Amino acid sequence: MRIFDPHIHMTSRTTDDYAAMAAHGIQAVVEPAFWLGQPRTNPGSFADYFDSLIGWEPYRAAQYGIRHHATIALNPKEANDPRCRGVLDLMPRYLDKDGVVAVGEIGYDSMTPVEDEVFAAQLALAIEFELPALVHTPHRDKATGTKRTLDVVKESGIEAGRVLVDHLNEVTVGLVKDSGCWMGFSIYPETKMSPPRMVQILKEHGPQRVLVNSAADWGKSDPLLTVTTANAMLEAGFSADDVDLVMWRNPVEFYGQSGRLDLSDIDKPDATFEGSSILRGGS
Ligand SMILES: [Zn+2]
């Protein structure tokens, strides 16, 4: 079984997580730029973070044979802080980089007018840089947030097939399916979407245009929940091919639209990382 986690925040995870993921068949990940918990106070903090997403993290992942790509954006929550607005000016520099396979995560947190503006501006960047877009849906008032998200996506003129709308559930899946966008589901250990609920959604809606991720970050989360969900699919009678479609081919097709997804030599660790001596061992 090969697994591609299309949304995971490895910056917040340990090297033990990389080792466990590799041991369970997770061979590729996409790490979206997001909110780090501590509010950032200037665009320079974002520049260092973006550099880490395209430099240090791919290197760290490669030590375990995992291919790492990133998405770049000003996240919806920090979009509300005027001190962070300059991040939009930094983005073109990063959207040109090889390891960047989408603009994201963008979308709504509290659905403020500023979020509207920043969301639209970043969809325009996705069009300009010919990149797909990863769109986060708010955790509160999900149905309203998702409807409004789909309206903004439509108004932007970006092709629906180049948009992944994430953190969906039973209430929002139908809306996104009808829109033609790709459907993302984040599986969590306790709250929100669980593996059995995900299997049920797959039974009702099928595996086409569906991506499953762990969204693991600094909160309570589990980077192996993609694997648990894949096994739950098999136990529920889905074929190995269905599992491969959801867990590998769908993310490859979606992010492959960037023209930058590099999955060649997937199990050859990179030899060096500029500016760093060695990661492995640590003793
Ligand atoms: Zn996320």
Side-chain angles (χ1 to χ4, degrees), residues 7-9 32-34 105 134 136 166-167 186 188 213 215-217:
H7 184 151
I8 185 165
H9 301 289
F34 84 138
E105 19 193 327
L134 168 61
H136 157 111
D166 215 337
H167 312 313
S186 303
Y188 300 96
N213 63 71
D217 58 18

Side-chain angles (χ1 to χ4, degrees), residues 167-265:
H167 312 313
L168 301 181
N169 62 18
E170 293 85 351
V171 177
T172 51
V173 56
L175 290 167
V176 179
K177 190 179 184 185
D178 292 343
S179 74
C181 296
W182 294 72
M183 295 160 272
F185 296 87
S186 303
I187 314 299
Y188 300 96
E190 283 171 357
T191 55
K192 303 175 234 177
M193 190 56 56
S194 65
R197 282 170 61 190
M198 188 64 234
V199 166
Q200 199 51 43
I201 287 176
L202 283 160
K203 279 186 185 166
E204 283 169 33
H205 294 276
Q208 305 296 333
R209 278 192 286 128
V210 170
L211 281 75
V212 171
N213 63 71
S214 69
D217 58 18
W218 37 254
K220 179 117 177 110
S221 49
D222 177 350
L224 299 181
L225 279 176
T226 48
V227 180
T228 312
T229 304
N231 287 327
M233 283 179 72
L234 292 172
E235 278 160 30
F238 282 97
S239 67
D241 189 67
D242 288 333
V243 173
D244 191 66
L245 179 65
V246 172
M247 297 294 175
W248 188 266
R249 301 197 309 271
N250 282 348
V252 167
E253 187 179 341
F254 176 72
Y255 287 116
Q257 296 181 94
S258 66
R260 296 182 188 160
L261 200 62
D262 177 11
L263 299 173
S264 57
D265 299 334

Side-chain angles (χ1 to χ4, degrees), residues 6-55:
H7 184 151
I8 185 165
H9 301 289
M10 293 310 299
T11 299
S12 309
R13 310 301 306 192
T14 64
T15 45
D16 287 352
D17 289 327
Y18 273 123
M21 288 160 67
H24 286 83
I26 299 172
Q27 298 180 50
V29 298
V30 166
E31 175 158 6
F34 84 138
W35 178 53
L36 292 176
Q38 178 69 33
R40 282 164 282 198
T41 57
N42 68 85
S45 297
F46 285 82
D48 291 338
Y49 172 58
F50 295 161
D51 283 335
S52 150
L53 291 183
I54 57 173

Side-chain angles (χ1 to χ4, degrees), residues 150-166:
L150 292 171
D151 287 345
V152 174
V153 164
K154 202 167 184 182
E155 277 164 31
S156 77
I158 193 170
E159 213 180 291
R162 294 174 71 81
V163 177
L164 167 57
V165 184
D166 215 337

